[in-house]
Amino acid sequence: MSKFIPHLGGSRRRFIRNAGATVALASTGLSMPHIAQAAGTVKIGLIHPATGWAAYPAAQLRYGAQMAIADINAAGGIKSMGGAQIEALLGDSQTKPEIGAAEVEKMNEAGVHALQGCYQSAVGLAASAAAAKYNIPFSVDVGVSDKLVDRGLSNVFRMADGYGRIARDASAYLGEINAAAGSPAKTVVIVHEESEFGTGTAKLLTPALAERGLTVVDTIKHANPTRNFDNIALRIKSAKPDIIMPINYPGEYVLLAKTLRQQRVDFMTSYSVLGGGFNFKFIDDMPEIAENMIDVNHWYDPRSASGQAMRKRTEADGKYFTFEVYCAYMSIMLLADGFERAGSTDKDAVNAALASSTLEVDFMPYDKTEMVNGQNMGSRAVAIQAQNGDCQVVAPSAYASAKAVFPRA
Amino acid sequence: MATRNSTLVLCAIGFALLAFAPLGISSKFYLDILTLIFFTAYIGQSWNILGGYAGQFSFGGVMFFGTGAYASSILVNSFGVPAIIGVVVAILAGAVLALGVGYLSFRSGLRGSYFALITLAFAELLRVVANSLEITGGGVGLFLTYAPGLQNLQFKTPVGFYYFALILLAISIAIVIWLENSRFGAQLVAIRENEDAAEALGINTLRRKCQAIMIMGAMGGAAGTFYSQKYLYLDPPIAYSVHLSVEMLLVTIVGGMGTVFGPLIGSLVLHTVNEVTRNFIDTPGLSLIVYGIILIMIISYLPNGLIGLFKGRGSKKAGAAQGDGDA
């Protein structure tokens, strides 16, 4: 690192010399990652937004993916390939689609056998399209755009749900929760971030909620980032909805929740869909605000022994057990299973194995894995609620660990 | 004249070497990085015409890029027009938008930071509009179909996009060389140095500034088509990203404003520094800190940009030679 920092106390000449050295060093090709060509190694590239506004979820994703890789390696690696060990190559998309695509090029040069990423749908779209040119198997960890798997790319697979099915399920769960309480809620205000994730989800929710007897009285779009929700809170206050439905990224999710509290906006519940900020960290940091808030999201099965064990391990490492951790874990498992069944790193064989995957993921509240155009049809999001400082699954009833508190206390 | 000829010779040799570079570079990753360097240099050059030569600093240069990107993408997606025709429309759209923004701003006498802020506001306004319109796909954005072919300005390998970016860069440098040696360019420099004096000398400053921003707009429009055809996805945060507005002025300032090769040198150095720091530093975020420090050092030590190094050396040599002659 010090090679590239000019001497702070140096002369201008020395600075120029060092700056020149930097450029020269880069032009010689030293900036390429040097990957040891170890025999019997399966290389998986992890592309996440390690720098930028999404650095925290990216760190969680990396952690989950590396945990999965460590577990697979410890269990004997890819057995059908003579116990080949998985090696992770780390990539940073910097939250930019063009950098995400460039990372794919770099990893392809490094001889990567599969890719995993990219948290943001926009980056995932660019990166998976770049991967498709080389037929590199691409496992989506978190990225809810349905376009990721709807574009006809035969190398892209997603274990978790996309926003189309999540919006449908979220409406159904809300209908059930509302009906169980005697249908007190009639109106909804949707507050969503402006990119494809928020806009696409909001679009699908409006008709789906209408089918459940809930009228969307206002749909409010906000920019990323938004640093002040005062006006939006006032607009919500004037609309007097029974339910507020946020669909946004972590920073905005938390800020909106705080603002609604400060402005004393009255509503029956906050029922977010893919609320980026709803997790154990949020519940720990702001227990009073979080209490009884509901979110529909990727979530682990709290009744499963493996899910509980994974949570314990994560917390023992000083990390929160956010959905990024197990979604990344699961997406690596999918790739490992593909290599296992293909018995080689041949891209066509691995893609074919992934397309016919029946992987069992017992720590998730999923049905049997069934891939249709790269999308796992067995996946589902669940409704979770902050209750007494913990997080409980409240819908669907088959996976519920507690009864929903609705309207909120 | 000698300077012009030496610049032309330098460009000819440089572009000849770059044209053959894919034959010697087997790494697609490096070709992709070079493509990004050329692309950034190109949009930096567009900013350079208005900012570096005419002295009108814009913080919203991305508006032309975004509008061009949407213009060609909508034509491709909704009307089945090939992108090779779409790029012409994108260039026109960028130029027309630039004329509108330029005329409204300059006619109102906006200069300096006021002009910079109004362009930022226009870019932000367009982002909001793009977010709200059905034809732009709103927040969901536009997805383009992968269909490689020259008529679609899409290519199976990074080599095709490398040449696409190289051609754009060559055109932008040709425009700036022409500018440096034209009456129009001299008038822009006069405006930059002292607008009131230029006006007093009979230069129609409003017209000249509008023409300069139109060139910038046209170039931005073409850049938008390049981006959308390469990455096949466009949404308002991408199309009207403040980041790109900053990047286009950053490469120019670091390389050297009001110079032919400033944006290219700036882009080359900044991308290289970025790649080197990213690849040698594993700690997330630390590479950006190092990148920032290097950037501060460059700007602090080299107020005329990196190209000032060569110019300074050249003038010193000339001075020394003159001294020898005197002796």
Side-chain angles (χ1 to χ4, degrees), chain A residues 61-77:
Chain A
L61 286 162
R62 269 191 185 181
Y63 172 78
Q66 287 175 313
M67 187 202 289
I69 289 168
D71 287 357
I72 293 159
N73 287 342

Side-chain angles (χ1 to χ4, degrees), chain B residues 35-60:
Chain B
T35 304
L36 280 177
I37 289 169
F38 298 161
F39 172 75
T40 313
Y42 170 78
I43 55 169
Q45 200 69 278
S46 77
W47 187 92
N48 192 29
I49 289 165
L50 187 69
Y53 285 93
Q56 309 302 309
F57 284 25
S58 150
F59 283 169

Side-chain angles (χ1 to χ4, degrees), chain A residues 4 16 26 29-32 50-51 92 94 96 98 102-103 106 109 125 134 147 194-196 199 221, chain B residues 27-30 32 127 131 139-140 143 227 231 233 243 272 276 278-281 284-285 294 297 301 309:
Chain A
F4 307 106
I16 291 159
L30 287 177
S31 65
M32 270 299 286
T51 49
D92 179 8
Q94 297 181 10
K96 297 171 197 160
E98 63 271 24
E103 287 293 293
K106 185 199 293 182
E109 302 269 310
L125 287 161
Y134 308 107
K147 279 285 172 188
E194 66 183 0
S195 79
E196 198 215 351
T199 310
K221 190 187 286 190
Chain B
S27 165
K28 289 187 172 69
F29 166 67
Y30 281 123
D32 203 54
R127 189 184 60 78
N131 234 319
V140 174
F143 298 87
Y227 186 97
Y231 297 108
Y233 176 64
H243 160 78
T272 304
V276 170
R278 274 195 323 125
N279 284 304
F280 279 87
I281 300 166
I294 291 168
M297 299 291 282
Y301 279 86
L309 287 172

Side-chain angles (χ1 to χ4, degrees), chain B residues 201-263:
Chain B
L201 285 169
I203 297 170
N204 186 338
T205 57
L206 173 64
R207 175 179 287 187
R208 291 294 174 243
K209 287 193 289 183
C210 282
Q211 286 168 336
I213 199 173
M214 280 177 76
I215 296 171
M216 181 188 180
M219 288 170 73
T225 302
F226 170 88
Y227 186 97
S228 59
Q229 294 307 115
K230 187 173 189 327
Y231 297 108
L232 305 175
Y233 176 64
L234 190 69
D235 69 356
I238 291 171
Y240 298 107
S241 140
V242 174
H243 160 78
L244 197 62
S245 282
V246 171
E247 197 169 29
M248 64 173 73
L249 65 93
L250 200 61
V251 296
T252 311
I253 290 168
V254 166
M257 282 194 299
T259 62
V260 175
F261 298 109

Side-chain angles (χ1 to χ4, degrees), chain A residues 23, chain B residues 34 37-38 41 251 262-274:
Chain A
V23 176
Chain B
L34 279 171
I37 289 169
F38 298 161
V251 296
L264 177 58
I265 290 168
S267 178
L268 183 70
V269 169
L270 288 183
H271 272 281
T272 304
V273 168
N274 189 30

Side-chain angles (χ1 to χ4, degrees), chain A residues 121-122 125 143-149 158 162-163 196-197, chain B residues 143:
Chain A
S121 290
L125 287 161
V144 290
S145 170
D146 284 333
K147 279 285 172 188
L148 282 161
V149 288
R158 182 170 63 189
Y163 64 48
E196 198 215 351
F197 149 54
Chain B
F143 298 87

Side-chain angles (χ1 to χ4, degrees), chain B:
Chain B
M1 192 67 187
T3 309
R4 182 186 173 184
N5 287 340
S6 61
T7 304
L8 288 171
V9 168
L10 192 67
C11 283
I13 294 167
F15 280 106
L17 287 171
L18 290 171
F20 289 106
L23 301 174
I25 301 172
S26 59
S27 165
K28 289 187 172 69
F29 166 67
Y30 281 123
L31 278 180
D32 203 54
I33 290 296
L34 279 171
T35 304
L36 280 177
I37 289 169
F38 298 161
F39 172 75
T40 313
Y42 170 78
I43 55 169
Q45 200 69 278
S46 77
W47 187 92
N48 192 29
I49 289 165
L50 187 69
Y53 285 93
Q56 309 302 309
F57 284 25
S58 150
F59 283 169
V62 75
M63 73 175 107
F64 311 124
F65 162 88
T67 302
Y70 271 121
S72 60
S73 300
I74 289 165
L75 283 175
V76 169
N77 266 14
S78 305
F79 304 100
V81 175
I84 203 149
I85 295 168
V87 71
V88 177
V89 177
I91 289 167
L92 289 172
V96 169
L97 174 67
L99 176 62
V101 170
Y103 184 79
L104 288 172
S105 308
F106 299 136
R107 188 80 179 77
S108 310
L110 294 177
R111 294 183 193 178
S113 54
Y114 296 100
F115 174 69
L117 288 172
I118 200 75
T119 55
L120 183 67
F122 270 113
E124 194 59 15
L125 172 74
L126 285 164
R127 189 184 60 78
V128 172
V129 169
N131 234 319
S132 313
L133 294 177
E134 199 68 42
I135 198 161
T136 59
V140 174
L142 294 174
F143 298 87
L144 284 93
T145 308
Y146 176 58
L150 186 61
Q151 74 281 7
N152 296 327
L153 297 176
Q154 288 181 24
F155 310 96
K156 279 184 180 173
T157 67
V159 177
F161 283 108
Y162 171 89
Y163 283 118
F164 189 178
L166 185 63
I167 289 164
L168 288 178
L169 179 65
I171 291 168
S172 74
I173 286 179
I175 290 168
V176 175
I177 291 172
W178 164 76
L179 207 66
E180 285 227 320
N181 296 282
S182 69
R183 184 181 171 84
F184 172 60
Q187 289 175 336
L188 290 184
V189 173
I191 292 167
R192 179 187 72 196
E193 296 304 320
N194 190 328
E195 193 168 333
D196 294 330
E199 189 90 55
L201 285 169
I203 297 170
N204 186 338
T205 57
L206 173 64
R207 175 179 287 187
R208 291 294 174 243
K209 287 193 289 183
C210 282
Q211 286 168 336
I213 199 173
M214 280 177 76
I215 296 171
M216 181 188 180
M219 288 170 73
T225 302
F226 170 88
Y227 186 97
S228 59
Q229 294 307 115
K230 187 173 189 327
Y231 297 108
L232 305 175
Y233 176 64
L234 190 69
D235 69 356
I238 291 171
Y240 298 107
S241 140
V242 174
H243 160 78
L244 197 62
S245 282
V246 171
E247 197 169 29
M248 64 173 73
L249 65 93
L250 200 61
V251 296
T252 311
I253 290 168
V254 166
M257 282 194 299
T259 62
V260 175
F261 298 109
L264 177 58
I265 290 168
S267 178
L268 183 70
V269 169
L270 288 183
H271 272 281
T272 304
V273 168
N274 189 30
E275 279 306 310
V276 170
T277 53
R278 274 195 323 125
N279 284 304
F280 279 87
I281 300 166
D282 282 338
T283 311
L286 193 58
S287 65
L288 282 181
I289 294 169
V290 174
Y291 176 81
I293 290 168
I294 291 168
L295 204 61
I296 290 166
M297 299 291 282
I298 290 171
I299 291 169
S300 303
Y301 279 86
L302 303 164
N304 296 323
L306 288 162
I307 209 149
L309 287 172
F310 307 105
K311 283 198 167 178
R313 195 167 292 179
S315 59
K316 269 184 189 173
K317 276 184 181 174
Q322 208 173 3
D324 294 344
D326 292 342

